[in-house]
Amino acid sequence: MAKRVLVTGGAGFIGSHLCRRLLDDGHEVLCLDNFFTGRKANIDELLDQHQFELIRHDITEPILLEIDRIFNLACPASPVHYQYNPVKTVKTNVMGVINMLGLAKRVRARILQASTSEVYGDPQVHPQVESYWGHVNPIGLRSCYDEGKRVAETLMLDYHRQNGVDIRIARIFNTYGPNMLVDDGRVVSNFIVQALRGEDLTIYGDGHQTRSFCFVDDLVEALIKLMSSETFTGPVNLGNPVEFTMLELAEMVLELTAGRSKIVHRPLPADDPVQRRPDISKARKELGWEPTIQLRQGLERTIDYFREVLRS
Ligand code: NAD
Ligand code: UDP
C-alpha cells in the first residue's frame, strides 16, 4: 500500500537513491535535508514528480509532519565531513534522532535508523556479527560519529521499550556508487576521481587494512526490505561480505579506468579500523536478502558516473 515516507538526508548519496526507489514503488516521498553534504543535483530529476516534496530543514530542530514511515539517514558519513564539525555530528545523532523519534511517536510512524558498522569500532571479532558490542574509542577523532551512532541505537531501543515506537535498525557497511561527491573523501570516490584525473592514488597506511564494499542499489533493496518487515526490528548488518584490502581496491580502480596513476602512501588516520567485513547471516535469514552486484561491476557503474561528472 502506498505510504507517505519521510527520508531525512534524502539529498545525500544513499538518500537520493532511496527517494527514487520509493517513488518508483508508488509512495509519496518527503525528502528532508540541510544540504551539508547533500546536493540538489542528486534529486533534480525527482523535483517535478508530484509525489515528491523537498523540505530544507535540519533535524536538530523539531518538525511536525504527517507521515507513515521515516528513514532517518541525515548525518554526514565520510570521516572528512563528520569530523569537520564534530559537535554538530553528535547533535545530529542525539538531538536529531530524538526529534525524529519524537515525531515517530507522535504520528505513530515506523522509523528506520541508518546505523553503521562503525558501532563495532576497530573490531576484535571478525567478521562482525550483530551480537558483538564493539571496540570503540570514546575520545578519538572518529568518536563523534561512532559514539553518536551508538547513542542513536540506544535511543531507538529506549523509545521502543518506553513508548512502543515501531523501530528498525540497519547497520550499514561501506556503501558506494553514483551520487557520491567528487570531494566526498571516502576511499572509493577518492581513488576513482584520482585515477580519472591522472593524479596519484592516495593509500592511507600500508594499504593492508580491509573493507567490504556494497553497491548502493543492493543496499537500498535491503533498506526497503527491512522497513517492510512486519516483525523484524534488527539491528541487522547490511553490506557486502566480500573483503578487499585498500591495495586491491586501488589496483582494481586503476585497471578499470585504464589509469596510469601511481599509488602513493599517506599517513594512516587515527583509529582507522584494521579490518571490516559483515556477517550477513541475519539479513539472509530474516530479510531473504544478499548483495547481487560484485565490486568490479559496481565500480564500472561508479566510474561511468564520475567520468560524466568530471566532464561537465
Ligand atoms: P551523505 O553525507 O551523502 O548523506 C547524508 C545526508 O544527510 C546529506 O544529504 C546531508 O546534507 C544530510 N544531513 C546531514 N546532517 C543533517 C542534519 N542535521 N539535518 C538534515 N540533514 C542532514 O552520506 P550517505 O553515505 O548517503 O549516508 C547516509 C546515511 O547512511 C548516514 O546516516 C550514514 O551515517 C549512514 N551510513 C552510510 C554508509 C556509507 O558507506 N555510505 C555506511 C554506514 C552508514
Ligand atoms: N583510505 C585510503 N585512501 C583514501 C581514503 C581512504 O587509503 O584516499 C582508506 C582509509 O584509511 C580506510 C579505508 O580507506 O582504511 C576506508 O576509508 P573510508 O573513509 O572510505 O571509510 P571508513 O574508514 O569510514 O570505512
Side-chain angles (χ1 to χ4, degrees), residues 48 72 101 277 299:
D48 59 359
N72 187 42
L101 280 161
R277 170 155 64 95
L299 283 179

Side-chain angles (χ1 to χ4, degrees), residues 3-276:
K3 304 263 186 238
R4 296 195 85 206
V5 187
L6 172 65
V7 180
T8 76
F13 158 50
I14 297 174
S16 55
H17 290 274
L18 179 61
C19 286
R20 179 167 297 124
R21 168 65 191 270
L22 289 165
L23 287 169
D24 288 348
D25 289 352
H27 300 292
E28 197 176 326
V29 175
L30 281 73
C31 166
L32 180 156
D33 211 291
N34 70 352
F35 294 104
F36 175 51
T37 49
R39 296 182 312 148
K40 285 223 179 98
N42 285 347
I43 46 164
D44 243 359
E45 291 168 12
L46 312 181
L47 287 171
D48 59 359
Q49 296 202 28
H50 69 278
Q51 295 283 74
F52 183 78
E53 209 172 310
L54 177 61
I55 306 166
R56 180 184 281 266
H57 181 80
D58 193 303
I59 61 160
T60 59
E61 301 293 336
I63 189 166
L64 181 60
L65 297 162
E66 292 299 329
I67 31 95
D68 308 303
R69 300 272 189 264
I70 304 172
F71 285 90
N72 187 42
L73 271 57
C75 179
S78 160
V80 180
H81 293 126
Y82 70 63
Q83 289 170 26
Y84 173 77
N85 184 344
V87 173
K88 180 62 193 265
T89 300
V90 174
K91 284 184 183 169
T92 296
N93 283 305
V94 179
M95 293 152 66
V97 172
I98 290 174
N99 285 331
M100 289 305 110
L101 280 161
L103 174 61
K105 176 181 157 192
R106 186 151 172 193
V107 302
R108 295 181 190 278
R110 179 176 296 170
I111 178 168
L112 182 152
Q113 167 65 7
S115 189
T116 166
S117 52
E118 294 282 332
V119 300
Y120 302 121
D122 189 4
Q124 292 174 324
V125 168
H126 193 75
Q128 290 77 58
V129 281
E130 288 88 349
S131 54
Y132 177 49
W133 289 355
H135 179 235
V136 177
N137 176 359
I139 55 169
L141 295 178
R142 296 175 85 100
S143 312
C144 59
Y145 184 78
D146 299 10
E147 296 288 23
K149 290 283 187 178
R150 285 166 68 95
V151 175
E153 287 200 10
T154 308
L155 285 164
M156 292 285 288
L157 264 302
D158 284 336
Y159 269 78
H160 176 62
R161 286 183 286 244
Q162 199 173 325
N163 302 108
V165 173
D166 190 9
I167 60 161
R168 302 288 179 272
I169 299 176
R171 290 188 180 152
I172 303 169
F173 283 62
N174 297 64
T175 301
Y176 69 99
N179 292 4
M180 293 182 94
L181 294 172
V182 166
D183 62 353
D184 180 273
R186 282 176 279 187
V187 69
V188 174
S189 47
N190 270 12
F191 285 178
I192 293 177
V193 170
Q194 288 164 344
L196 292 177
R197 285 179 169 157
E199 297 168 357
D200 296 342
L201 267 61
T202 54
I203 289 195
Y204 302 160
D206 62 13
H208 292 295
Q209 71 270 40
T210 67
R211 295 292 186 274
S212 310
F213 298 101
C214 185
F215 190 67
V216 65
D217 290 1
D218 278 332
L219 195 265
V220 165
E221 176 68 24
L223 293 177
I224 300 274
K225 286 196 154 175
L226 177 58
M227 182 61 107
S228 307
S229 166
E230 283 307 320
T231 48
F232 180 59
T233 60
V236 60
N237 290 336
L238 301 180
N240 193 315
V242 187
E243 191 177 356
F244 292 88
T245 67
M246 294 312 100
L247 271 170
E248 288 169 334
L249 176 70
E251 278 157 11
M252 199 183 288
V253 168
L254 283 178
E255 183 202 322
L256 294 174
T257 53
R260 285 196 230 123
S261 307
K262 292 198 308 294
I263 289 177
V264 296
H265 292 267
R266 297 276 177 266
L268 190 67
D271 299 330
D272 199 279
V274 175
Q275 53 180 3
R276 181 182 290 155

